[in-house]
Amino acid sequence: MSFNDNVQLDTSQVGSGGSGGGPGGMVVGGGIGGIILLIIALVFGINPGSLPGGTGTDPGTGGTGQVEPGGSTDPNAFAQCKSGADANRDDTCRVIATVNSVQAFWGDELPRYQRRYTPAKTILYSGSTRSACGTASNQVGPFYCPLDKKVYIDASFFQILTQQFGSSGGPLAQEYVVAHEYGHHIQDILGLLDRAQQDPQGAQSGGVRVELQADCLGGVWAHHATQTKDAQGTTFLKPLSQKDIDDALSAAASVGDDRIQQKTQGQVNPESWTHGSASARQKWFTTGYRSGNLNDCDTFSVANVE
Ligand SMILES: [Zn+2]
């Protein structure tokens, strides 16, 4: 979907990071098994091994205390992203506009459930950058790090999504990725993330239920997105078209565990799923999108998430 041209972007909600990734992060089409496996592990994902486990230690930071995760805050890094018109022609600006929209929505919505929304930055990086959950790179895909409360996205991932995973692309496909990661931040606020760590694998596992819930929360945002406004009262997004929805569903399906396993292993093993099947991911995004109601995203109480 498209942003209204005159909506104002707030680049203070994002940070920049990384530059050491070489020429443009050429993961696409590499066909290297190891890279694909890494993507399977973390596409759209939280890193289960990095979730707070009560031990207080995190191998990702090595305990040095001097790593400053979360990228730099160069005020000019996103100077090209000022308005919705910029978001409509530039992937990076589109991520920023989506972050603005998603955070504006949840900032209004969570208080209706007596919860306070705490803003979370997105680190837009190229190549690789440090997070409190370990190194972010364009080989691991977008993720949310609960340890530093930040979303990490390499804009080159959107090419991987279309070229390697076969998504149809389109603006809402990209916006869905951002909304899904902020879904994990909402889960973090609501205290739901540790269910992934307790039961990480399998078609009905806690891990899959966490991921499908993040898809549903992305759908809830999409439902309300065309009414969410910036600080000046300008609506962020124009009304959704069926093409927009089809793009988001295509993106959701393309990263279904069954699709990825079929493509990379030639067989499907539901017991090792971490994110859910293509059809389940579509189903839960659609559930959130249709009703716009957070309570319909309770993937934990249903017997079968498929
Ligand atoms: Zn996820």
Side-chain angles (χ1 to χ4, degrees):
M1 70 184 130
S2 303
F3 285 88
N4 282 314
D5 283 347
N6 53 350
V7 73
Q8 299 298 303
L9 306 193
D10 176 6
T11 57
S12 73
Q13 296 182 20
V14 297
S16 59
S19 57
M26 296 309 290
V27 178
V28 179
I32 300 162
I35 289 174
I36 293 169
L37 284 174
L38 271 173
I39 293 171
I40 291 168
L42 286 174
V43 159
F44 295 176
I46 48 173
N47 184 344
S50 301
L51 290 169
T55 63
T57 59
D58 170 41
T61 57
T64 62
Q66 61 205 17
V67 174
E68 179 54 49
S72 60
T73 48
D74 174 2
N76 296 317
F78 305 110
Q80 80 277 20
C81 302
K82 292 188 169 65
S83 69
D86 300 325
N88 288 333
R89 56 169 172 71
D90 180 290
D91 279 358
T92 296
C93 302
R94 184 176 299 114
V95 170
I96 294 169
T98 308
V99 167
N100 292 167
S101 166
V102 169
Q103 297 213 97
F105 167 66
W106 287 117
D108 287 343
E109 187 71 2
L110 276 196
R112 293 173 6 97
Y113 298 87
Q114 285 73 51
R115 298 296 185 113
R116 200 167 71 86
Y117 180 77
T118 49
K121 265 195 177 185
T122 284
I123 304 305
L124 275 160
Y125 66 94
S126 61
S128 65
T129 195
R130 280 181 214 274
S131 84
C133 297
T135 301
S137 79
N138 51 19
Q139 298 179 1
V140 299
F143 64 93
Y144 171 72
C145 175
L147 297 175
D148 58 21
K149 315 286 183 202
K150 290 185 174 75
V151 170
Y152 290 83
I153 294 177
D154 180 339
S156 75
F157 175 76
F158 298 127
Q159 290 180 334
I160 296 176
L161 194 63
T162 53
Q163 295 173 13
Q164 192 163 319
F165 291 91
S167 167
S168 64
L172 191 59
Q174 298 181 2
E175 291 150 16
Y176 152 73
V177 172
V178 176
H180 172 103
E181 296 308 338
Y182 275 89
H184 287 314
H185 179 56
I186 298 300
Q187 292 173 315
D188 195 6
I189 291 171
L190 299 178
L192 297 170
L193 269 186
D194 60 343
R195 301 195 188 200
Q197 191 177 31
Q198 291 158 7
D199 175 24
Q201 283 194 337
Q204 305 293 337
S205 64
V208 162
R209 288 170 192 263
V210 163
E211 291 301 331
L212 295 176
Q213 185 173 67
D215 285 336
C216 185
L217 295 173
V220 168
W221 163 77
H223 176 97
H224 296 280
T226 57
Q227 279 105 47
T228 304
K229 297 183 170 90
D230 71 2
Q232 286 74 38
T234 307
T235 307
F236 277 103
L237 286 150
K238 295 175 180 171
L240 291 168
S241 67
Q242 188 56 47
K243 165 85 166 59
D244 291 321
I245 297 301
D246 290 346
D247 285 340
L249 292 175
S250 172
S254 72
V255 289
D257 286 321
D258 48 347
R259 292 273 182 95
I260 292 174
Q261 287 183 341
Q262 190 66 50
K263 191 174 282 186
T264 59
Q265 304 167 17
Q267 58 184 1
V268 175
N269 301 303
E271 63 274 14
S272 62
W273 288 359
T274 55
H275 286 67
S277 69
S279 63
R281 300 199 72 164
Q282 291 190 320
K283 173 184 145 178
W284 283 101
F285 176 85
T286 303
T287 297
Y289 174 64
R290 287 220 177 111
S291 77
N293 185 342
L294 184 65
N295 286 327
D296 290 334
C297 296
D298 186 1
T299 55
F300 295 104
S301 67
V302 295
N304 185 351
V305 296
E306 288 290 316

